[in-house]
Amino acid sequence: MPAELDWALVHDSAQSLHEELVSLLENTSGMIPEEKWFSVLREKGNVGSASIWLMLDGLLASGRVKSGQRILCVVPESGRALIGFMMLEAV
């Protein structure tokens, strides 16, 4: 499935969380090349539940999204070790 993705919007709110997520993806053959990752964490900060909407807005505003591309949204919740996923297709 990683090869089928065009973008991964990943809200990794801390370097340790980023490293853990990368490790999990690599260990399960699910690694998405980091050049496909998109985040606004550095620009917007850790904005919690608004992160996914700000990432979608930022990616769309960048002009890099094309019709038919698949976008995986990943929002880990570090306090409870939960991860939310959402798959979108650009139209």
Side-chain angles (χ1 to χ4, degrees):
M1 170 148 139
E4 298 173 11
L5 297 174
D6 297 291
W7 296 102
L9 279 57
V10 183
H11 176 67
D12 45 0
S13 58
Q15 184 61 32
S16 61
L17 187 57
H18 176 82
E19 291 167 3
E20 185 174 341
L21 185 57
V22 168
S23 176
L24 287 169
L25 290 171
E26 288 175 342
N27 290 335
T28 59
S29 301
M31 185 58 182
I32 301 159
E34 289 196 60
E35 62 268 11
K36 292 183 174 185
W37 290 34
F38 183 87
S39 177
V40 294
L41 184 62
R42 288 187 182 95
E43 296 87 5
K44 305 291 184 183
N46 185 0
V47 291
S49 62
S51 66
I52 198 64
W53 306 113
L54 292 171
M55 286 189 284
L56 284 167
D57 183 63
L59 181 61
L60 290 171
S62 76
R64 296 184 277 173
V65 177
K66 296 175 179 58
S67 182
Q69 287 187 327
R70 295 179 60 140
I71 303 166
L72 177 66
C73 303
V74 183
V75 181
E77 198 289 302
S78 58
R80 298 193 180 150
L82 302 171
I83 299 178
F85 295 93
M86 177 173 56
M87 178 70 74
L88 305 171
E89 183 174 334
V91 293

